Amino acid sequence: MPTWRRNEPTNVEKERRVKANAREYNEKFLYANNHIKTSKYNIFTFLPINLFEQFQRVANAYFVVLLILQLIPEISSLSWFTTIVPLVLVLVITAVKDASDDYFRHKSDQQVNNRQSQVLIRGSLQKEKWMNVRVGDIIKLENNQFVAADILLLCSSEPYGLCYIETAELDGETNLKVRQALSVTSDLGDVSKLMDFDGEVVCEPPNNKLDKFTGTLHWKDNKYSLDNENMLLRGCILRNTEWCFGMVIFAGLQTKLMQNCGRTKFKRTSIDKLMNTLVLWIFAFLICMGVILAIGNTIWETCIGRKFELFLPRDDFQSSAVFSGFLTFWSYIIILNTVVPISLVEVLRLGHSFFINWDRKMYHSQTDTSAEARTTTLNEELGQVEFLFSDKTGTLTQNVMVFSKCSITGRTYGDVYDEFNEKVEITEKTACVDFSFNPLCDQGFKFYDCSLVEAVKREESAVQEFFRLLALCHTVMPEEKSEGKLEYQAQSPDEGALVTAARNFGFIFRARTPETITLCEMGRAVTYELLAILDFNNVRKRMSVIVRNPQGQIKLYCKGADTIVFDRLDPSSENLMYTTSEHLSEFAGEGLRTLALAYKDLSEEYYQVWKKKLHYASTVIENRDEQLAVLYEEIEQGMKLLGATAIEDKLQEGVPETIACLNLADIKIWVLTGDKLETAMNIGYSCNMLRDDMNEVFVISGLTQLEVQQQLRSAKELILGLSRVNSTGDVEKGDMFAEDSVFEEAIIAEYALVVNGHSLAHALEPQLEHTLLDLACLCKTVICCRVTPMQKAQVVELVRRHKRAVTLAVGDGANDVSMIKTAHIGVGISGQEGMQAVLASDYSFAQFRYLQRLLLVHGRWSYFRMCHFLAYFFYKNFAFTLVHFWYGFFCGFSAQTVYDQWFITLFNIVYTSLPVLAMGLFDQDVNEQNSLRYPSLYKPGQQNLLFNKRQFFLCTLQGMVTSFLLFFIPYGAFTVRVKEGGSDFSDQQAFAVTIATTLVIVVSVQIGLDTHYWTAVNHLFVWGSLIMYFAVLFAMQSDGLFGIFPSSFPFLGTARNCLSEKSVWLVILLTTVVCILPGLVVSFLRVDLFPTLTDKVRHLQQSSKKQGPKEQNLRRVRRTSSRRSAYAFSHQQGYGELITSGKNMRMSTLSSTVSLERPAQSSSWIENILKRKNEVSCISPERPDPPESHKDSRASADRLT
């Protein structure tokens, strides 16, 4: 995993002093350079660090100790190669995997560190790599470039030292923000002046507060105050500004972006932690067996062994029976070492990672991006996720707004009808409106209702006034790079979508000055005098402009929340208001963001009087905002309604379906976003995370800790109180439930929790965090908005710390890095906000919808395979090893092995490794279609049912019983068996070959029974391993090898003589049947009498195999939110004052582009399945009408119950 190496001074920095153009002065403070490192190793440190990490696994450390013991000849009855060969094999495979992972991290680091930046060095601008930039350097940025470090803005190409930045990497927002240089430095645009600049900045030390900066510039014996408005932070992108110069204040890992990234934790899966515990248990069991056998040896030597001293004298160092028992203890520790598994888990994980990388269904063709497993150690934990933390912008949404529908004077536009006047569903194949009549149209804009274009062409006055309003009432900045090539830079994507719509329908916004707005109306240039901008804020929830048209008429145009605008309408618009309100409800029902439009004619006399009042109010010192609000309210009364707009906030494809499916898998989804509360809630409704039929949506927005505490407690009490009454009708019983930790499982009603950023800061305090977590876990949906990157990590850490559950965080920007690192599993969306999230993630892909496949298919399969692999591995090793324990009672506890050394060496790495690897790599309990169709199949992983301490006990018990039968059935047979000629057949090696052969056959049959999904590879490995065993057995006991290495292969012809006897094969068959049959019967009875959901689905899958799997098509339906005017609610304070001041008017700005991507779809089954809590949840096939689809879904579920 990536680890941020912090190059920080040992002393805590109390303040920072940075001098411009003075590297020698700044270097004495040992500030961090601009180099970042996410890799773990280099050529020299790889071997020691990697081995140290590998030997943190208890099993690996144990085998090193064992290897040392085997080098002591007095206690070792096995050669050292029986341990070192499998140990080295596992260490090498793991090291190669770790090295390949780190190689890709090195490549990613180089890509970032080698980006080019222009640095002022020795009187000229020189290109330098990012990693060579130092604190105090003056660097030049150009339009659309990433900011290389945290810099103080000195000057720019814009008037007054203004520049525009996009902060998507920091807070997920793509709307522009304005930064301004100090007036004393804003004219330093010449390189010679910048070289002479020797100002010194004294400021706060490095910290993670993105919205705060405090400092002072000392220059020319003067002091100038600095704040966040003067800073450009690393990760921002310079927009709509030709160039700017800045002075580096914080670099590299000390930048605010990197300070928010947090430290990477060494991530280990729950199975890894369990394995360490189990290995300790096994080691204790091994010591117990060693003690028992050592005591047996001591007793045997005391009672029987001395009788053999005449012809088998003791060695000098074996002076007593007790010492002999002591040596025997260590000998048995060595012999029985294979009970502690050297597992091939890393090989499985590597294979599972390749399957994720190779999955074509997680490949995004538009961006040529495939899924990538950036780590190979967490695959099985993908099948155990309970909490999913998601960013919003760029993760759930495309952050693209599309003008979808509108209502003008009581008529709706945007739907498409066929020749029978039936509404037609709009798809990618639906023909778009032809805008060729408009040479200045945006080629990316799509609209499907031709009647609106025809109304514009007929010059219907209401329609033209509608689009004229959209073209005038906004704060968008235009940029015309060449004739007809217009680009708009909008404060928010909503505004960009509305102005772009007006542009395509013939009302093109071309230019603005502080006093005028120029439009091109149906090919005619028209300039309006801009008299006033009544700007948007969160209280007004509307925006108005007052303009004078070329005919001298003064008009007020207003757009805003329908509830706000409707209250200010003239009574003559009452009937139209009711009709428009119905249309707004329809639009909101489809999840669209709605907005009401109105206008008012103003007389010259009235306006002049109002203007004087405005001038007076804008110059007063006290209560200025309140007086302005009163004047705005006055002039906005008595407006006439024009209509309403409906904008689609485009979700990424498949987001609602994915969220619905993950909800059915019992995965709790929390949205953590830096966006505004209203925007986040609207997306919640669009994704069906929030619904109108929820019992309650709690909004926590308290400003003080006491307010937050009261809101949290009252919400929790409301949920518990209602649930007590609804579910039990007994208050006392409800109190009893409330005390129980599983009470949240009994909550039937559905609640949602929305927490604001400043409230979350209080809620995360130690005295409130438990209340927050308890309330959040009682809610179906949790949305935290206006959160900082560090708060995202704190929320994830809160759940990790207090809930024994696997967490997954998914995001696409640098503001998500911290939570990605904090969660058990981090997923990066390779989107439009840079690659920081991907670089810090464990898995990455291009679309949120692929998360469904990653978890429900790859994750579930990986967990299923890993659990069955481990259970079989423990069973196999106990069956193999404990034969020595039983044999100890018949060989005088002499530490004699049953098998020869070559069999012990090759059993785990040749004879039985490939079949279990094939099962661990390719096995499937159900296929991928059913894994997605029945999300409830995911739940056993969350509950850790497939491999836990109980399962470990059962599989080891099976192995112990198998070893008992493997030894005593052949032993009983050999005591009475004779050859066909009547002679005895009781030599130890014939006995060993019989047991070894039976063991290999038994474990091969067992893995055949445990395998649910046979492939050609499984057949090859199972049958090939059996063939390999017999081939090696006969080869090692052949004349040829005995002739070359007589001391290493002394048992000449044993296998040939033993396995040529029919009675031996009868013993092998009998032992195999007795070992396998009980487990087979238990498994059959369990499936027949107590079938799990997996058993039922597998039965359905097998019964329908002849018909073949059917792909389920998801139908698009209307979204179910009734929220309206989310556009107006989602705005922040506008740019009105900046525009009318003229400070930003030298050049225009770049527009928000409108994506051509297909609209996000919803499906007819979402509303139903979210309300149902069946054990089996099915996705119904596509049907012409919803009732039949619902009926079919219910029937499918009935078949499984």
Side-chain angles (χ1 to χ4, degrees):
M1 292 304 304
T3 303
W4 297 114
R5 311 280 186 182
R6 297 192 181 275
N7 182 18
E8 296 176 350
T10 54
N11 297 326
V12 177
E13 193 176 334
K14 295 182 179 178
E15 70 172 15
R16 171 157 295 209
R17 307 184 73 91
V18 181
K19 196 169 185 178
N21 295 312
R23 280 196 175 186
E24 292 183 2
Y25 173 81
N26 296 323
E27 283 174 357
K28 70 181 182 181
F29 296 107
L30 301 177
Y31 297 142
N33 58 33
N34 210 36
H35 180 270
I36 65 166
K37 183 177 182 181
T38 63
S39 57
K40 292 169 65 175
Y41 317 110
N42 58 40
I43 295 175
F44 304 103
T45 62
F46 173 74
L47 196 59
I49 293 178
N50 187 259
L51 288 177
F52 174 75
E53 289 176 347
Q54 291 205 56
F55 286 124
Q56 284 184 319
R57 291 190 177 94
V58 176
N60 290 348
Y62 163 75
F63 279 104
V64 171
V65 175
L66 191 73
L67 182 61
I68 296 172
L69 291 177
Q70 282 186 285
L71 297 176
I72 304 173
E74 287 78 10
I75 62 173
S76 179
S77 56
L78 288 175
S79 299
W80 56 269
F81 62 79
T82 60
T83 297
I84 199 170
V85 171
L87 177 63
V88 168
L89 180 66
V90 170
L91 292 177
V92 168
I93 290 174
T94 305
V96 170
K97 174 190 70 67
D98 290 342
S100 64
D101 285 349
D102 209 55
Y103 169 73
F104 290 110
R105 293 192 199 104
H106 274 286
K107 287 183 65 177
S108 299
D109 289 344
Q110 289 175 3
Q111 182 181 2
V112 174
N113 289 325
N114 290 337
R115 285 179 179 171
Q116 296 292 315
S117 184
Q118 297 183 68
V119 184
L120 193 60
I121 301 176
R122 293 186 294 274
S124 64
L125 284 172
Q126 300 180 16
K127 285 194 174 182
E128 281 282 356
K129 296 178 180 178
W130 273 26
M131 61 182 178
N132 296 328
V133 172
R134 297 291 183 268
V135 170
D137 286 354
I138 292 178
I139 62 176
K140 181 182 180 181
L141 297 174
E142 295 180 346
N143 195 32
N144 297 326
Q145 279 189 348
F146 275 97
V147 181
D150 290 356
I151 66 174
L152 170 67
L153 179 63
L154 297 177
C155 57
S156 76
S157 58
E158 301 303 298
Y160 304 97
L162 290 172
C163 75
Y164 301 91
I165 57 170
E166 182 182 294
T167 59
E169 282 276 347
L170 300 177
D171 55 20
E173 294 187 1
T174 54
N175 50 290
L176 293 193
K177 294 180 175 61
V178 180
R179 295 292 182 263
Q180 187 171 10
L182 294 173
S183 57
V184 294
T185 64
S186 60
D187 60 349
L188 296 177
D190 186 73
V191 171
S192 60
K193 293 180 181 179
L194 288 166
M195 276 304 300
D196 295 334
F197 177 67
D198 59 353
E200 183 175 14
V201 173
V202 180
C203 66
E204 62 189 14
N207 60 71
N208 58 19
K209 297 177 181 177
L210 294 172
D211 57 351
K212 184 177 178 295
F213 177 81
T214 305
T216 305
L217 173 64
H218 298 258
W219 189 39
K220 295 182 178 178
D221 299 324
N222 289 315
K223 295 181 181 179
Y224 305 94
S225 176
L226 302 174
D227 59 26
N228 202 49
E229 298 302 308
N230 310 122
M231 295 292 294
L232 306 183
L233 302 184
R234 179 179 177 132
C236 297
I237 304 175
L238 190 68
R239 297 291 195 199
N240 196 34
T241 306
E242 188 177 340
W243 54 260
C244 73
F245 284 93
M247 170 184 169
V248 177
I249 306 297
F250 302 118
L253 298 173
Q254 292 181 336
T255 59
K256 289 182 180 285
L257 174 64
M258 292 302 176
Q259 290 284 313
N260 268 285
C261 288
R263 295 181 182 270
T264 299
K265 299 179 179 179
F266 178 62
K267 296 185 178 182
R268 296 172 60 209
T269 67
S270 56
I271 284 184
D272 272 340
K273 297 171 186 174
L274 176 62
M275 281 291 290
N276 275 351
T277 303
L278 297 182
V279 167
L280 292 175
W281 285 11
I282 294 171
F283 186 60
F285 177 64
L286 176 60
I287 291 176
C288 291
M289 288 193 296
V291 169
I292 292 171
L293 294 170
I295 293 172
N297 178 265
T298 302
I299 296 172
W300 191 90
E301 287 288 350
T302 303
C303 300
I304 303 172
R306 70 177 118 194
K307 299 176 182 178
F308 297 92
E309 288 186 13
L310 292 175
F311 61 93
L312 287 175
R314 295 181 186 274
D315 293 331
D316 294 336
F317 64 88
Q318 285 183 311
S319 56
S320 68
V322 174
F323 188 67
S324 173
F326 174 75
L327 295 178
T328 301
F329 168 81
W330 291 108
S331 297
Y332 271 112
I333 292 294
I334 295 172
I335 290 174
L336 300 174
N337 76 82
T338 49
V339 80
V340 180
I342 293 186
S343 177
L344 299 176
V345 166
E346 297 302 329
V347 180
L348 288 191
R349 287 172 172 163
L350 186 63
H352 296 164
S353 299
F354 280 123
F355 292 153
I356 293 172
N357 296 343
W358 295 337
D359 191 344
R360 299 294 297 176
K361 293 182 180 178
M362 294 171 69
Y363 169 75
H364 193 242
S365 57
Q366 286 90 332
T367 58
D368 190 28
T369 304
S370 57
E372 181 184 3
R374 297 175 55 81
T375 182
T376 58
T377 57
L378 303 173
N379 294 325
E380 67 271 16
E381 207 147 61
L382 289 170
Q384 298 178 276
V385 173
E386 283 190 61
F387 287 86
L388 190 155
F389 301 91
S390 174
D391 178 38
K392 182 192 75 69
T393 306
T395 303
L396 299 178
T397 69
Q398 301 177 30
N399 205 35
V400 173
M401 307 297 174
V402 176
F403 182 84
S404 179
K405 296 181 181 181
C406 63
S407 170
I408 306 176
T409 60
R411 178 181 175 182
T412 60
Y413 298 92
D415 291 320
V416 179
Y417 297 87
D418 59 18
E419 61 271 19
F420 304 108
N421 205 30
E422 294 288 336
K423 188 183 293 187
V424 178
E425 183 177 353
I426 295 174
T427 65
E428 289 183 336
K429 297 181 180 179
T430 306
C432 298
V433 170
D434 182 13
F435 290 108
S436 59
F437 72 92
N438 182 0
L440 294 176
C441 69
D442 184 341
Q443 299 296 328
F445 181 83
K446 289 185 177 181
F447 198 76
Y448 300 93
D449 187 357
C450 298
S451 61
L452 186 55
V453 176
E454 293 168 0
V456 172
K457 290 179 178 179
R458 289 196 300 268
E459 298 186 358
E460 293 183 11
S461 59
V463 175
Q464 291 198 337
E465 193 75 349
F466 179 90
F467 286 112
R468 185 177 291 115
L469 186 155
L470 294 182
L472 290 171
C473 186
H474 56 79
T475 56
V476 172
M477 302 298 296
E479 181 179 2
E480 193 163 358
K481 294 186 175 179
S482 59
E483 183 63 30
K485 298 294 183 181
L486 266 177
E487 290 186 352
Y488 294 140
Q489 189 61 64
Q491 179 188 0
S492 70
D494 307 73
E495 284 214 314
L498 293 173
V499 176
T500 300
R503 168 183 175 178
N504 277 266
F505 285 99
F507 287 76
I508 300 102
F509 170 52
R510 293 296 295 265
R512 72 156 76 241
T513 70
E515 295 84 22
T516 65
I517 297 177
T518 301
L519 305 184
C520 179
E521 297 183 355
M522 303 302 290
R524 300 185 303 273
V526 182
T527 299
Y528 292 83
E529 183 182 354
L530 180 60
L531 302 176
I533 295 180
L534 284 55
D535 210 351
F536 180 93
N537 62 40
N538 286 324
V539 177
R540 286 170 41 75
K541 295 183 175 64
R542 63 191 183 277
M543 173 194 175
S544 299
V545 294
I546 301 175
V547 297
R548 179 182 280 114
N549 64 22
Q551 290 75 37
Q553 298 170 329
I554 300 177
K555 292 205 172 193
L556 178 146
Y557 292 109
C558 178
K559 65 182 181 185
D562 58 295
T563 53
I564 302 296
V565 173
F566 286 176
D567 289 342
R568 290 156 180 81
L569 292 179
D570 187 80
S572 62
S573 296
E574 185 174 356
N575 292 332
L576 178 59
M577 181 184 72
Y578 291 136
T579 305
T580 305
S581 183
E582 292 177 3
H583 296 162
L584 285 167
S585 297
E586 292 178 14
F587 297 157
E590 299 175 37
L592 303 177
R593 298 156 71 97
T594 57
L595 185 70
L597 309 183
Y599 73 99
K600 179 180 180 181
D601 293 316
L602 302 175
S603 67
E604 184 72 35
E605 297 78 12
Y606 176 80
Y607 170 72
Q608 292 300 333
V609 173
W610 182 85
K611 180 181 177 182
K612 291 178 181 178
K613 295 179 184 178
L614 180 69
H615 178 73
Y616 172 77
S618 61
T619 55
V620 298
I621 303 300
E622 294 183 358
N623 301 323
R624 179 185 300 175
D625 291 340
E626 290 79 359
Q627 294 192 38
L628 287 174
V630 170
L631 282 174
Y632 291 171
E633 181 75 24
E634 174 192 323
I635 201 168
E636 288 173 332
Q637 295 293 328
M639 296 184 292
K640 294 182 179 180
L641 184 63
L642 261 177
T645 61
I647 293 176
E648 182 180 7
D649 184 0
K650 297 195 70 173
L651 297 172
Q652 285 197 15
E653 184 181 351
V655 165
E657 293 86 352
T658 299
I659 288 176
C661 203
L662 295 180
N663 274 327
L664 289 171
D666 247 13
I667 297 174
K668 301 172 182 65
I669 302 176
W670 294 19
V671 175
L672 310 178
T673 175
D675 220 329
K676 293 165 283 296
L677 182 144
E678 293 79 9
T679 308
M681 288 185 68
N682 190 76
I683 292 300
Y685 280 99
S686 298
C687 297
N688 282 298
M689 294 177 66
L690 299 176
R691 302 192 314 280
D692 290 333
D693 60 356
M694 281 184 159
N695 295 64
E696 189 76 42
V697 177
F698 301 105
V699 178
I700 309 298
S701 56
L703 298 176
T704 66
Q705 185 171 333
L706 182 60
E707 290 178 359
V708 173
Q709 182 179 22
Q710 290 173 343
Q711 290 177 348
L712 290 173
R713 287 183 176 176
S714 61
K716 183 178 177 182
E717 289 168 2
L718 178 63
I719 293 177
L720 298 182
L722 288 176
S723 298
R724 279 200 295 267
V725 175
N726 292 341
S727 62
T728 67
D730 187 340
V731 175
E732 291 183 5
K733 191 178 291 186
D735 290 334
M736 189 169 64
F737 276 130
E739 297 296 324
D740 198 324
S741 62
V742 299
F743 178 71
E744 62 193 65
E745 300 296 332
I747 299 294
I748 300 173
E750 291 188 356
Y751 301 92
L753 177 66
V754 181
V755 187
N756 219 329
H758 52 77
S759 304
L760 185 63
H762 295 300
L764 289 173
E765 293 293 329
Q767 56 268 42
L768 286 183
E769 63 178 15
H770 286 283
T771 307
L772 171 66
L773 185 60
D774 291 343
L775 175 61
C777 290
L778 293 172
C779 294
K780 181 80 172 177
T781 296
V782 179
I783 298 176
C784 300
C785 49
R786 280 298 185 202
V787 293
T788 66
M790 193 52 67
Q791 281 180 325
K792 291 184 179 184
Q794 288 170 346
V795 172
V796 177
E797 180 61 32
L798 176 65
V799 175
R800 278 197 64 161
R801 198 166 60 245
H802 297 293
K803 291 283 181 183
R804 298 181 62 183
V806 176
T807 59
L808 181 147
V810 55
D812 72 321
N815 58 319
D816 304 314
V817 167
S818 188
M819 74 169 179
I820 284 174
K821 289 182 174 182
T822 304
H824 291 92
I825 303 168
V827 175
I829 304 291
S830 49
Q832 300 178 0
E833 294 186 21
M835 294 294 288
Q836 289 288 346
V838 171
L839 294 179
S841 67
D842 305 306
Y843 301 89
S844 67
F845 39 71
Q847 295 275 295
F848 180 85
R849 60 191 164 99
Y850 297 146
L851 197 60
Q852 180 179 351
R853 187 169 178 82
L854 181 71
L855 299 183
L856 302 189
V857 178
H858 290 286
R860 204 184 70 80
W861 278 352
S862 292
Y863 174 71
F864 167 80
R865 291 163 176 168
M866 184 65 70
C867 292
H868 282 72
F869 170 86
L870 292 174
Y872 176 80
F873 211 89
F874 280 118
Y875 154 77
K876 173 175 68 75
N877 275 29
F878 270 70
F880 165 59
T881 305
L882 263 61
V883 171
H884 295 300
F885 178 79
W886 310 120
Y887 184 55
F889 292 91
F890 297 89
C891 67
F893 305 97
S894 60
Q896 170 66 42
T897 60
V898 177
Y899 319 110
D900 69 81
Q901 294 188 10
W902 287 107
F903 181 81
I904 294 173
T905 304
L906 299 176
F907 177 76
N908 270 328
I909 62 175
V910 175
Y911 300 152
T912 60
S913 62
L914 292 181
V916 71
L917 270 180
M919 181 182 74
L921 287 172
F922 303 112
D923 202 18
Q924 303 173 11
D925 53 349
V926 300
N927 59 30
E928 63 181 77
Q929 290 86 359
N930 283 324
S931 295
L932 295 171
R933 187 176 292 123
Y934 304 106
S936 295
L937 292 171
Y938 190 80
K939 295 178 184 179
Q942 298 169 327
Q943 299 163 9
N944 209 21
L945 296 180
L946 299 189
F947 188 75
N948 48 41
K949 293 172 184 175
R950 178 178 177 274
Q951 293 298 322
F952 166 75
F953 174 77
L954 292 177
C955 67
T956 53
L957 180 63
Q958 183 186 6
M960 292 170 66
V961 171
T962 300
S963 70
F964 182 87
L965 297 173
L966 280 171
F967 178 81
F968 282 101
I969 292 178
Y971 180 79
F974 268 55
T975 57
V976 297
R977 190 169 69 84
V978 294
K979 291 185 178 182
E980 292 181 359
S983 59
D984 287 336
F985 190 93
S986 57
D987 63 280
Q988 192 267 344
Q989 270 305 303
F991 181 60
V993 168
T994 303
I995 293 180
T997 303
T998 308
L999 171 65
V1000 172
I1001 292 174
V1002 166
V1003 296
S1004 297
V1005 171
Q1006 186 63 52
I1007 201 169
L1009 295 173
D1010 288 345
T1011 300
H1012 302 85
Y1013 180 74
W1014 282 85
T1015 66
V1017 176
N1018 292 83
H1019 283 287
L1020 175 64
F1021 284 177
V1022 171
W1023 300 112
S1025 294
L1026 285 171
I1027 295 170
M1028 178 65 72
Y1029 165 72
F1030 286 107
V1032 172
L1033 176 65
F1034 284 104
M1036 287 195 300
Q1037 298 185 6
S1038 64
D1039 300 345
L1041 282 179
F1042 176 76
I1044 302 172
F1045 307 106
S1047 60
S1048 299
F1049 304 98
F1051 306 112
L1052 177 63
T1054 303
R1056 195 165 53 244
N1057 293 333
C1058 175
L1059 296 179
S1060 62
E1061 294 289 329
K1062 297 176 183 177
S1063 55
V1064 171
W1065 285 105
L1066 184 60
V1067 169
I1068 292 172
L1069 177 62
L1070 175 64
T1071 308
T1072 302
V1073 171
V1074 174
C1075 288
I1076 295 297
L1077 194 58
L1080 190 61
V1081 170
V1082 169
S1083 178
F1084 175 79
L1085 291 176
R1086 183 193 62 76
V1087 172
D1088 195 54
L1089 301 178
F1090 309 102
T1092 63
L1093 177 61
T1094 305
D1095 298 326
K1096 297 175 183 178
V1097 174
R1098 191 185 306 125
H1099 176 70
L1100 270 183
Q1101 178 177 305
Q1102 291 169 349
S1103 62
S1104 61
K1105 202 169 185 179
K1106 295 179 182 179
Q1107 301 174 5
K1110 295 181 180 179
E1111 289 293 332
Q1112 303 300 316
N1113 297 315
L1114 306 180
R1115 299 181 60 205
R1116 185 176 185 230
V1117 299
R1118 299 177 8 157
R1119 299 177 189 163
T1120 58
S1121 167
S1122 62
R1123 288 171 54 81
R1124 304 212 304 235
S1125 300
Y1127 158 82
F1129 288 124
S1130 72
H1131 257 55
Q1132 57 186 354
Q1133 184 69 34
Y1135 287 164
E1137 185 178 347
L1138 184 64
I1139 289 172
T1140 54
S1141 70
K1143 289 183 177 180
N1144 61 337
M1145 289 302 168
R1146 202 189 75 182
M1147 66 179 291
S1148 352
T1149 54
L1150 183 67
S1151 78
S1152 238
T1153 58
V1154 179
S1155 170
L1156 293 179
E1157 299 227 7
R1158 182 164 60 93
Q1161 295 187 348
S1162 184
S1163 59
S1164 60
W1165 49 272
I1166 291 178
E1167 293 82 1
N1168 292 327
I1169 58 179
L1170 283 174
K1171 297 174 186 174
R1172 297 171 60 199
K1173 299 294 289 183
N1174 288 353
E1175 180 182 271
V1176 180
S1177 305
C1178 308
I1179 298 175
S1180 59
E1182 184 176 7
R1183 298 272 185 176
D1185 54 342
E1188 286 298 321
S1189 176
H1190 178 71
K1191 200 180 302 177
D1192 189 63
S1193 174
R1194 189 166 52 201
S1196 180
D1198 290 340
R1199 281 182 290 169
L1200 296 178
T1201 54

